[in-house]
């Protein structure tokens, strides 16, 4: 055991606890359960082990409870202190992301408008060429002017189709927008089995409730859970 740990456990006679634990382990190693008498000895050793575990746990709780209580008090206090800042941080991040999304929509709309105007300019240019070929120079000139106007408007729209920068640098700090993959639950029943976790706490509680009803009755055990096998196994209970 390190010196630091020994100092931390100073209120407890650690050496005596370790000696008892080693002695109990040695007693178990030397005991062969091959007769009723040996089984009786084993029961006695198990009772001593159980007593030792209770006493050691009581010592451990005696040492750590004040520390755990203090840690909980500190954590609760700082959680309360930080709550307004956490709320403000979440709200302001949302505002920045909302602004970015709005600017992205504007840029996408401007890009779509620029493409529409370019197509419109190309179409008018072709119509002007056809009018010129058909001997209608006045019409051709009008169509050509409109094609030029559409092309100029397309350039303006394209210049305005600027997506917001994903990084903002200031003297105070830098923010950056990044895309991350996440998920939201839509239909639990459709989630593949390998992504699900069995709630063993609920299963064992259901078993305890059913066992109280059953209590050795010759009737079938009153609990079935699809996908699970309900069975009994032997455990050794020791009392002192």
């Amino acid at each position: 055991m390190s010196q630091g740990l020994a100092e931390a456990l100073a209120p407890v006679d650690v050496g005596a606890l370790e000696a008892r634990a080693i002695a109990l382990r040695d007693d178990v190693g030397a005991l062969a359960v091959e007769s009723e008498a040996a089984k009786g000895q084993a029961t006695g050793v198990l009772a001593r082990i159980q007593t030792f575990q209770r006493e050691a746990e009581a010592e451990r709780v005696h040492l750590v409870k004040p520390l755990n209580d203090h840690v909980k008090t500190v954590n609760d206090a700082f959680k309360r202190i930080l709550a307004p800042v956490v709320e403000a941080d979440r709200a302001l991040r949302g505002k920045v992301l909302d602004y970015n999304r709005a600017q992205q929509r504007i840029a996408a709309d401007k890009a779509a408008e620029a493409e529409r105007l370019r197509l419109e300019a190309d179409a008018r240019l072709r119509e002007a060429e056809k009018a010129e070929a058909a001997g209608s120079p006045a019409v051709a000139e009008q169509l050509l002017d409109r094609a030029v106007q559409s092309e100029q408007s397309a350039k303006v729209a394209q210049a305005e189709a600027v997506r917001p920068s994903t990084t903002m640098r200031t003297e105070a700090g830098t923010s950056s927008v990044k895309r991350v993959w996440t998920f939201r639950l839509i239909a639990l029943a459709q989630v593949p089995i390998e992504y699900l976790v069995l709630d063993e706490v609920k299963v064992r509680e259901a078993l305890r409730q059913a066992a109280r009803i059953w209590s050795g009755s010759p009737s079938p055990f009153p609990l079935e859970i699809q996908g699970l096998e309900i069975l009994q196994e032997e455990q050794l209970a020791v009392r002192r």
Side-chain angles (χ1 to χ4, degrees), residues 102-123:
Q103 293 303 304
Q104 288 171 354
R105 287 193 295 269
I106 292 172
D109 290 344
K110 289 294 184 180
E113 182 183 359
E115 180 63 18
R116 180 185 63 78
L117 290 168
R118 277 195 296 268
L119 294 174
E120 183 180 278
D122 290 342

Side-chain angles (χ1 to χ4, degrees), residues 57-232:
E57 176 63 10
E59 295 287 0
R60 185 192 71 79
V61 170
H62 175 72
L63 286 174
V64 303
K65 188 177 185 304
L67 300 176
N68 289 340
D69 290 345
H70 179 68
V71 169
K72 184 178 184 304
T73 300
V74 172
N75 286 342
D76 289 345
F78 273 84
K79 184 177 180 180
R80 183 179 65 254
I81 292 169
L82 290 171
V85 177
V86 171
E87 181 182 353
D89 179 86
R90 180 170 54 249
L92 191 52
R93 286 173 189 268
K95 291 179 180 180
V96 172
L97 291 174
D98 286 345
Y99 169 80
N100 267 26
R101 284 190 284 266
Q103 293 303 304
Q104 288 171 354
R105 287 193 295 269
I106 292 172
D109 290 344
K110 289 294 184 180
E113 182 183 359
E115 180 63 18
R116 180 185 63 78
L117 290 168
R118 277 195 296 268
L119 294 174
E120 183 180 278
D122 290 342
R124 287 175 175 174
L125 183 58
R126 288 193 298 271
E127 290 175 1
E129 291 173 349
K130 291 179 181 178
E132 183 71 29
S136 301
V139 175
E141 185 176 356
Q142 290 178 355
L143 289 169
L144 184 59
D145 288 343
R146 294 169 64 185
V148 171
Q149 291 174 3
S150 294
E151 183 63 30
Q152 290 175 343
S153 297
K155 290 179 180 179
V156 172
Q158 186 60 52
E160 294 175 347
V162 179
R163 291 184 177 275
S165 172
T166 58
T167 301
M168 172 62 70
R169 292 184 174 86
T170 69
E171 292 183 359
T174 301
S175 66
S176 59
V177 179
K178 61 180 181 179
R179 290 182 173 273
V180 295
W181 292 103
T182 184
F183 68 91
R184 60 185 178 89
L185 182 62
I186 297 175
L188 182 62
Q190 297 176 14
V191 177
I193 187 66
E194 60 265 27
Y195 297 110
L196 302 179
V197 177
L198 179 66
D199 192 333
E200 293 190 19
V201 174
K202 287 187 177 180
V203 172
R204 296 189 187 283
E205 178 59 27
L207 287 172
R208 282 192 291 271
Q209 295 292 341
R212 292 192 187 99
I213 298 173
W214 185 65
S215 63
S217 169
S219 60
F221 193 71
L223 176 65
E224 291 185 6
I225 301 177
Q226 187 174 357
L228 298 181
E229 179 187 6
I230 308 299
L231 70 161
Q232 286 185 305

